[in-house]
Amino acid sequence: MRGGSNNYRPNAPFVEKLGDGFHISGKVRLAGQGQPIQNARIQIWAATTIGGEREPRNHGSVLTQADGSYHLEMHQIVPNFGQPHAHLAYDDGTFKTVFLRPFMPSARDTSLNVDFVLTRA
């Protein structure tokens, strides 16, 4: 689902992990060609068991690997406004900025896979 820029923090710090037990991963590819994009900065934030989306410990950025993949482990995502969801953004400037807000089928889910397809800025 597109959208989800609320509680966005430009330049969220790079992190190795934000907690334990919940995994967000995906791939970032170039539109039209499908090739993986390396070193794309993906920002992730969500309401978790330690606090809401505004909680600084729930915000972090990661870089994609050579195959375009990224991964972040964090605390368990909890429902916010009735639905468990995360916020993800690409905001580096080489490609057009994208905000995504994927919903989870269940608050018991412990992982979420979110792919990006980017177009040049």
Side-chain angles (χ1 to χ4, degrees):
M1 176 178 179
R2 291 189 146 280
S5 63
N6 55 310
N7 298 311
Y8 165 69
R9 291 185 183 165
N11 302 312
F14 285 104
V15 296
E16 293 203 20
K17 64 191 284 186
L18 291 174
D20 296 305
F22 192 90
H23 299 267
I24 296 181
S25 60
K27 291 215 173 191
V28 179
R29 299 191 177 277
L30 182 60
Q33 298 174 0
Q35 68 194 70
I37 299 174
Q38 182 177 9
N39 293 324
R41 177 190 175 132
I42 301 298
Q43 185 181 151
I44 301 167
W45 68 101
T48 73
T49 54
I50 64 165
E53 294 172 2
R54 292 185 177 137
E55 167 59 53
R57 296 174 296 166
N58 285 338
H59 284 249
S61 295
V62 296
L63 288 176
T64 58
Q65 303 300 307
D67 66 353
S69 67
Y70 68 91
H71 176 263
L72 181 67
E73 186 175 8
M74 62 192 307
H75 295 284
Q76 178 66 40
I77 292 178
V78 297
N80 192 22
F81 299 109
Q83 295 178 313
H85 63 277
H87 296 263
L88 293 94
Y90 166 81
D91 62 350
D92 261 355
T94 302
F95 302 95
K96 291 182 182 177
T97 298
V98 176
F99 288 96
L100 300 175
R101 185 178 53 208
F103 289 91
M104 297 162 33
S106 167
R108 292 185 303 269
D109 291 346
T110 58
S111 67
L112 188 59
N113 187 47
V114 182
D115 296 332
F116 284 78
V117 177
L118 302 179
T119 57
R120 298 211 184 268

